[in-house]
């Protein structure tokens, strides 16, 4: 069975962008692949985190995975920091990564822009991400569009390792949806919808109460036209909403357009809100049940145990290829 790896940072509320770009595909892939879905806390601390908030968010993201339909008996769901081989391989691969490659990463440029002091961890973030993926000889990495560049770097690092030390790593392939790989902000369709945006009206959080979701969608920016038509270049706001509609309802973009032919934005947005609520309300109900049951810690422990065995074996092989003396 081929292997899937992906991760989400516990660094803020998850949005419907994370759901459409990533989690929804995790659920889809879990029947056909050996999957690892990880809460990447070591990545989250590359920017300052409040310790209590980090702990809470870690449990929240893990719970959202399960509430969204990831089956922990099929997939390994665990905290990145519970499998120390991530950090160890991260260091090994950092030594194979050039400053120039890291300087070219647009996420680093965006996150460091205008800051007086930028942590070195933020700079080497992509080699830790490469380690996450390569540690399991991953075949497929489901992510949103914004992670494409990081994934290309992981592929380059894998190729470099294989060339220098012998063919060991599988070169991972991205799995990026065609529609919905980049859900945009509700208030500004030139910006990616993001959990770190201080304007809460710009995103739909997975745990937003239904009335908040309805309000946010009704206030979402549109254009002065009146056609519900998918045309990202000329109608970016409406196209973004159609993308969300299509991804959440399972209808194709053409079917959504057809359904609202000749109608104004008002009824379209109203229906969109109901479509989103119809998926998020049961997810939130499940979320509350899992949190109350306290079972998430067990799920995380078992996931880390299973993944840790593979990670330990693979890291030993990698260290051997690189010339490390084994512990006697
Ligand atoms: P993170 O935590 O920023 O985002 C998690 C996932 O959600 C996707 N995503 C989006 N997709 C569509 N539209 C959006 N507006 C949107 N916002 C976020 C992201 O593309 C991502 O798939 N570096 C990763 C975490 C990571 C990782 C890994 C991923 C660490 N190690 C190994 C894959 C494999 C990140 O920052 O994701």
């Amino acid at each position: 069975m081929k292997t899937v790896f992906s991760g989400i940072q516990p660094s803020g509320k998850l949005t419907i962008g994370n759901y459409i770009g990533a989690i929804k595909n995790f659920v889809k892939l879990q029947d056909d692949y050996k999957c690892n879905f990880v809460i990447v806390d070591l990545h989250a601390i590359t920017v300052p985190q409040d310790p209590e908030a980090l702990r809470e968010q870690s449990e929240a993201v893990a719970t959202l995975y399960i509430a969204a339909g990831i089956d922990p008996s099929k997939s390994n769901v665990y905290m990145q920091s519970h499998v120390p081989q991530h950090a160890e391989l991260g260091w090994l691969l950092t030594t194979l990564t050039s400053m120039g490659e890291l300087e070219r990463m647009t996420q680093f440029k965006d996150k460091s822009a205008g800051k007086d002091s930028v942590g070195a961890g933020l700079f080497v973030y992509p080699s830790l991400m490469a380690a996450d993926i390569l540690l399991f000889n991953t075949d497929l990495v489901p992510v949103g569009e914004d992670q494409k560049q990081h994934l290309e770097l992981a592929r380059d690092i894998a190729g470099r390792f294989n060339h220098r030390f012998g063919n060991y790593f599988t070169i991972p392939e991205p799995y990026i949806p065609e529609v919905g790989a980049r859900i945009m902000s509700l208030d500004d369709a030139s910006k990616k919808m993001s959990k770190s945006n201080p304007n809460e009206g710009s995103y739909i959080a997975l745990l937003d109460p239904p009335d908040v979701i309805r309000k946010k969608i009704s206030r979402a920016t549109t254009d002065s036209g009146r056609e519900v038509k998918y045309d990202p270049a000329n109608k970016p706001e409406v196209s973004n909403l159609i993308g969300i509609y299509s991804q959440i309802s399972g209808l194709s973009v053409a079917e959504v357009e057809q359904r609202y032919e000749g109608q104004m934005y008002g009824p379209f947005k109203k229906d969109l809100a109901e479509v989103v609520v119809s998926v998020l309300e049961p997810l939130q109900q499940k979320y509350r049940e899992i949190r109350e049951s306290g079972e998430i810690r067990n799920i995380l422990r078992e996931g880390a145990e299973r993944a840790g065995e593979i990670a330990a074996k693979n890291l030993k092989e990698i260290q051997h290829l690189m010339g490390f003396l084994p512990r006697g």
Side-chain angles (χ1 to χ4, degrees):
M1 221 185 201
K2 291 193 167 184
T3 300
V4 159
F5 186 99
S6 198
I8 295 186
Q9 299 187 70
S11 52
K13 296 173 186 167
L14 293 200
T15 72
I16 201 160
N18 299 119
Y19 179 77
I20 293 173
I23 299 175
K24 194 169 149 281
N25 292 322
F26 298 176
V27 177
K28 201 162 98 187
L29 292 169
Q30 67 178 344
D31 293 326
D32 301 318
Y33 293 84
K34 180 75 220 137
C35 293
N36 300 284
F37 298 125
V38 180
I39 301 99
V40 289
D41 47 2
L42 299 175
H43 278 106
I45 59 162
T46 58
V47 295
Q49 301 291 338
D50 171 72
E52 275 317 312
L54 180 64
R55 232 184 312 274
E56 159 60 27
Q57 270 305 123
S58 296
E59 200 153 331
V61 174
T63 308
L64 280 169
Y65 276 176
I66 310 300
I70 291 171
D71 179 348
S73 69
K74 288 186 193 151
S75 305
N76 296 330
V77 173
Y78 66 93
M79 300 302 305
Q80 187 185 29
S81 62
H82 293 179
V83 175
Q85 287 80 7
H86 282 276
E88 282 188 66
L89 183 59
W91 173 251
L92 303 186
L93 297 186
T94 297
T95 68
L96 296 179
T97 311
S98 77
M99 301 278 286
E101 283 174 316
L102 295 171
E103 275 159 2
R104 282 195 290 278
M105 293 292 118
T106 56
Q107 182 172 298
F108 175 72
K109 288 192 221 170
D110 292 346
K111 285 197 175 178
S112 59
K115 299 255 162 69
D116 291 337
S117 165
V118 177
L122 190 64
F123 190 58
V124 297
Y125 178 119
S127 30
L128 178 59
M129 178 162 161
D132 295 341
I133 298 165
L134 301 180
L135 186 56
F136 296 93
N137 269 312
T138 298
D139 297 282
L140 204 61
V141 185
V143 280
E145 172 79 32
D146 62 338
Q147 297 301 314
K148 202 172 165 189
Q149 194 188 26
H150 285 159
L151 201 73
E152 272 159 19
L153 179 63
R155 290 165 57 88
D156 290 346
I157 294 172
R160 192 168 306 149
F161 181 99
N162 288 351
H163 184 70
R164 276 186 59 182
F165 301 112
N167 232 342
Y168 183 80
F169 288 129
T170 306
I171 309 292
E173 294 289 337
Y175 181 94
I176 299 176
E178 239 173 66
V179 176
R182 193 173 173 81
I183 299 296
M184 308 312 276
S185 283
L186 298 180
D187 62 340
D188 180 353
S190 69
K191 283 200 201 123
K192 187 188 72 164
M193 184 183 283
S194 163
K195 52 195 171 195
S196 54
N197 191 322
N199 173 12
E200 294 203 2
S202 72
Y203 60 80
I204 297 167
L206 293 183
L207 296 176
D208 273 345
D211 278 346
V212 173
I213 295 173
R214 292 188 180 99
K215 201 182 280 171
K216 285 181 177 179
I217 292 179
S218 81
R219 290 186 183 161
T221 312
T222 46
D223 51 49
S224 55
R226 40 175 54 196
E227 239 189 321
V228 181
K229 194 164 166 270
Y230 191 78
D231 178 358
N234 299 307
K235 294 170 75 72
E237 298 87 0
V238 172
S239 302
N240 187 42
L241 298 179
I242 295 176
I244 297 174
Y245 197 125
S246 157
Q247 286 293 312
I248 297 291
S249 66
L251 294 176
S252 70
V253 165
E255 284 167 332
V256 178
E257 284 178 333
Q258 221 165 35
R259 182 173 285 191
Y260 293 95
E261 209 179 320
Q263 294 200 51
M264 309 276 266
Y265 294 153
F268 164 67
K269 281 168 121 186
K270 223 167 171 195
D271 287 0
L272 171 61
E274 294 318 313
V275 164
V276 171
V277 166
S278 75
V279 169
L280 293 192
E281 212 171 23
L283 185 151
Q284 293 172 2
Q285 177 60 28
K286 224 166 154 209
Y287 175 88
R288 285 189 289 269
E289 285 166 20
I290 302 165
R291 290 275 332 222
E292 274 160 31
S293 77
E295 64 181 305
I296 205 69
R297 296 292 176 94
N298 289 335
I299 290 173
L300 290 173
R301 180 169 32 74
E302 283 165 18
E305 275 167 12
R306 288 196 301 255
E309 273 180 36
I310 302 167
K313 175 180 156 288
N314 290 355
L315 184 67
K316 274 213 181 90
E317 291 169 1
I318 295 162
Q319 286 171 327
H320 175 74
L321 287 170
M322 290 182 85
F324 285 86
L325 190 66
R327 212 174 92 163

